[in-house]
């Protein structure tokens, strides 16, 4: 047993392959030869597929949401929705998804990202299947709300699985680039898929395809996502914080989502909003006092993270605005069918894969702040171009090049924002960070649409003499595009003034070296950029004790505590695979 002495009473023990562990520790992954052959070796060989499994899960979640937005009319007609109920075809899912993100992300940190991700996939698939057999509005709305709970479990834990399995620097940046490419592809693929399914076999297959894909991913996840040792101590859950945060966020999303339809000052919306604000204030007070908070307030002290959440909010508000109003331009101004509209977005979808792939290789070598600002400016150009469209404008003259500029702008802004959000967070907080980042996105999306709808509707009129459809609606759409330009400029100046001037940290070790211990998994010690184990006072041990060939990949155990984070098992699997 190699010991690294520290001033404190606790020891950091690094077991070598020649001696068994002597200190109490969480149970390791299975090492029985049968388990190794049947499970661990399979997981080791399939580990590269982890990124594509979690990315595909996000892809189908976004496809599902985008498809439903196109299928609102046929769903409402088939199930006999009333005018007031139509609003809940989208809102039932959005509200539960956004409301539970924070809780689900933190539970992933406490009880394991693998467990939470797979549970969310199962729940998402189950209720997607139920939705497809809906026979009434109430059945559809309740099933969609329950489906949103599953998505809330998968998305933040998907980000956490990437952050904890890929080291900070070029490897993690490339992984998030691929993750982002799948998301961008899903946003437009959903529109294309919905158009084809509605015109052929029916909207029900939007949900059935999602369910089938999720069940397949669940089976693959069992073999692909690495196991993590159980915690030495039972995780403590902040139930009061969970209650106030979930209801508070849910109330805010409800107010934003329903404000346009019911009225911002309506008795149906204002009381909910007031209660939501009170709950969120209470949540912050609770988190500042409890010993095991659901959301440790320290994470907001990281300037890059807090700014990234704000930028994500603005970015998604603008993104949803461009997609929604481009769709409205195609269907109302150009009078295109649903399938032709979907084909109009095809360049946006295909180019997203190419652009995000290129950025994955180049972002690690570039500072992110200038890219984010450039991205917001390019997206302003897109909105400006669309403002010149009328019923006589050729698709190839304005919308087509505008989409090309837009996807470059999205890639240069949203992807670096995502990387910046998770970059400085500890592993034990990655699920929470992913949840808060996605909460920013989920709040931004309905907020952007709500504000833009108010502008467009007030321009076109909503009473006697109002414009009801056709190319004349472009007057209101044009003002909405002007508002998107303002959103983009706000994002530009926010990044310019607040976001730090830096870039992702590159690992300082050689490519041949392996460091499988994350700093967040040590409570009494840490690891510097050279891979040395240090104590809290910065006293370093010998580098060879961690990087030596006999102990590479073995878990570092902190005597006397299990920590709050999932321990990495990749290194252990690497060594077992060589046995």
């Amino acid at each position: 047993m190699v010991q690294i002495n520290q001033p404190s009473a606790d020891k950091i023990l690094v077991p070598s392959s020649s001696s068994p562990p002597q200190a109490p520790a969480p149970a390791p992954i299975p090492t029985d030869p049968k388990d190794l052959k049947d499970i661990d070796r399979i997981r080791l060989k399939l580990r590269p597929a982890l990124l594509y499994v979690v990315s595909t899960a996000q892809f189908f979640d976004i496809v599902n949401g985008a498809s439903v937005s196109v299928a609102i009319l046929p769903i409402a007609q088939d199930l006999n929705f009333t005018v007031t109920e139509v609003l809940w075809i989208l809102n039932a899912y959005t509200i539960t998804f956004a409301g539970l993100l924070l809780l689900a992300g933190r539970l992933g940190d406490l009880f394991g990202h693998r467990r939470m991700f797979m549970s969310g996939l199962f729940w998402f698939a189950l209720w997607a299947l139920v939705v497809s057999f809906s026979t009434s509005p109430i059945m559809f709305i309740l099933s969609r709300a329950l489906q949103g709970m599953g998505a809330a479990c998968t998305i933040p834990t998907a980000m956490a699985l990437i952050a904890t399995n890929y080291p900070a620097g070029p490897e993690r940046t490339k992984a998030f680039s691929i993750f982002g490419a799948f998301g961008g592809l899903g946003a437009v693929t959903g529109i294309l898929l919905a158009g084809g399914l509605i015109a052929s076999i029916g909207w029900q297959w939007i949900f059935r395809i999602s369910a089938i894909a999720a069940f397949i991913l669940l089976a693959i996840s069992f073999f692909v996502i690495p196991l993590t040792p159980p915690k030495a101590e039972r995780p403590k859950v902040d139930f009061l914080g969970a209650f106030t945060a979930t209801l508070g966020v849910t109330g805010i999303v409800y107010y934003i989502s329903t404000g346009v339809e019911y009225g911002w000052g309506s008795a149906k919306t204002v009381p909910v909003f007031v209660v939501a604000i009170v709950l969120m204030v209470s949540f912050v007070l609770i988190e500042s006092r409890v010993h095991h908070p659901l959301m440790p307030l320290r994470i907001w002290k990281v300037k890059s993270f807090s700014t990234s959440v704000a930028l994500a909010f603005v970015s998604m508000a603008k993104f949803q605005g461009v997609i929604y109003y481009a769709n409205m331009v195609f269907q109302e101004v150009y009078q295109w069918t649903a399938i032709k509209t979907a084909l109009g977005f095809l360049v946006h979808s295909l180019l997203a894969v190419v652009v995000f792939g290129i950025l994955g290789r180049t972002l690690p070598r570039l500072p992110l702040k200038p890219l984010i600002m450039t991205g917001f400016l390019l997206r302003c150009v897109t909105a400006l171009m669309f403002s010149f469209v009328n019923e006589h404008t050729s698709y190839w003259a304005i919308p087509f090049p505008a989409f090309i500029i837009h996807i470059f702008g999205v890639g240069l802004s949203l992807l670096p924002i995502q990387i910046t959000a998770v970059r400085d967070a500890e592993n034990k907080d990655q699920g929470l960070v992913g949840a808060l980042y996605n909460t920013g996105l989920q709040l931004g999306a309905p907020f952007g649409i709500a504000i833009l709808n108010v502008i467009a509707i007030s321009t076109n009129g909503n009473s006697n003499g109002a414009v009801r459809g056709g190319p004349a609606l472009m007057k209101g759409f044009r003002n909405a595009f002007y508002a998107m330009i303002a959103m983009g400029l706000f994002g530009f100046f926010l990044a310019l003034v607040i976001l730090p001037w830096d870039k992702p940290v590159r690992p300082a070790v050689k490519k041949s070296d392996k460091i499988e211990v994350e700093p967040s998994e040590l409570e009494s010690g840490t690891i510097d950029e050279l891979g040395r184990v240090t104590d809290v006072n910065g006293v370093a041990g010998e580098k060879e004790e961690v990087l030596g060939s006999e102990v590479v990949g073995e878990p570092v155990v902190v005597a006397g505590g299990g920590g709050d984070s999932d321990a990495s098992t990749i290194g252990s699997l690497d060594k077992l695979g060589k046995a």
Side-chain angles (χ1 to χ4, degrees), residues 51-374:
L51 173 61
Y52 295 96
V53 168
V54 297
S55 298
T56 305
Q58 181 200 215
F59 170 81
F60 276 103
D61 173 66
I62 295 176
V63 164
N64 189 266
S67 300
V68 174
S69 66
V70 177
I72 289 177
L73 185 57
I75 292 172
Q77 291 174 341
D78 286 356
L79 299 181
N80 297 317
F81 273 78
T82 65
V83 174
T84 56
E85 290 172 340
V86 168
L87 182 69
W88 292 95
I89 293 177
L90 291 178
N91 288 348
Y93 181 90
T94 302
I95 290 172
T96 55
F97 179 33
L100 290 170
L101 274 171
L102 179 59
L103 176 60
R106 194 52 175 169
L107 289 178
D109 289 331
L110 296 175
F111 295 99
H113 301 129
R114 180 180 188 269
R115 179 183 299 174
M116 189 61 61
F117 178 81
M118 294 177 66
S119 299
L121 266 182
F122 173 77
W123 196 255
F124 177 88
L126 174 64
W127 290 103
L129 196 60
V130 174
V131 170
S132 71
F133 291 101
S134 295
T135 57
S136 66
I138 189 62
M139 180 179 178
F140 183 94
I141 291 170
L142 289 177
S143 300
R144 278 291 283 169
L146 291 167
Q147 187 189 7
M149 295 171 61
C153 295
T154 58
I155 301 303
T157 48
M159 290 181 63
L161 284 167
I162 294 174
T164 54
N165 283 282
Y166 292 88
E171 191 174 350
R172 184 181 293 178
T173 299
K174 184 177 180 181
F176 272 116
S177 299
I178 294 172
F179 185 74
F182 273 75
L185 181 62
V188 185
T189 301
I191 298 174
L192 185 64
L193 180 67
L197 291 176
I198 293 170
S200 55
I201 54 179
W203 60 265
Q204 293 86 349
W205 282 94
I206 293 173
F207 302 101
R208 289 170 190 168
I209 290 174
S210 296
I212 293 169
F215 279 126
I216 293 173
L217 285 174
L218 178 63
I220 297 174
S221 298
F222 179 79
F223 297 101
V224 169
I225 302 177
L227 290 168
T228 53
K231 308 227 181 250
E233 298 181 1
R234 184 180 179 85
K236 297 179 175 62
V237 180
D238 173 19
F239 290 104
L240 188 58
F243 176 79
T244 53
T246 300
L247 293 184
V249 174
T250 300
I252 292 173
V253 176
Y254 171 86
Y255 179 74
I256 295 173
S257 302
T258 60
V260 175
E261 181 69 23
Y262 295 150
W264 303 105
S266 167
K268 293 182 178 180
T269 57
V270 172
V272 176
F273 181 68
V274 172
V275 172
I277 294 299
V278 171
L279 286 170
M280 292 307 298
V281 172
S282 302
F283 170 66
V284 174
L285 293 175
I286 291 168
E287 299 309 278
S288 66
R289 287 167 170 76
V290 297
H291 293 294
H292 300 279
L294 181 73
M295 183 189 72
L297 298 182
R298 57 181 162 72
I299 66 171
W300 293 104
K301 296 179 181 178
V302 181
K303 196 173 184 180
S304 58
F305 168 72
S306 55
T307 307
S308 295
V309 174
L311 288 172
F313 178 92
V314 176
S315 181
M316 186 52 67
K318 184 168 175 18
F319 178 84
Q320 286 294 103
V322 169
I323 297 300
Y324 177 80
Y325 276 95
N327 180 64
M328 294 301 291
V329 166
F330 291 157
Q331 294 197 39
E332 295 290 349
V333 179
Y334 284 173
Q335 297 288 293
W336 284 2
T337 62
I339 189 65
K340 192 173 181 180
T341 297
L343 291 173
F345 281 95
L346 190 59
V347 62
H348 195 277
S349 177
L350 297 178
L351 193 59
V353 179
V354 177
V355 171
F356 280 51
I358 294 173
L359 289 175
R361 293 189 291 270
T362 57
L363 283 180
R365 299 189 292 271
L366 299 171
L368 299 183
K369 180 170 180 172
L371 297 181
I372 294 172
M373 294 189 297
T374 302

Side-chain angles (χ1 to χ4, degrees), residues 10 17 22 57 127 161 185 211 245 325 386 400 421 426 469-470 552 566:
D10 289 341
S17 58
Q22 311 239 335
W127 290 103
L161 284 167
L185 181 62
Y325 276 95
F386 266 104
F400 182 79
E426 298 182 17
V552 167
D566 288 335

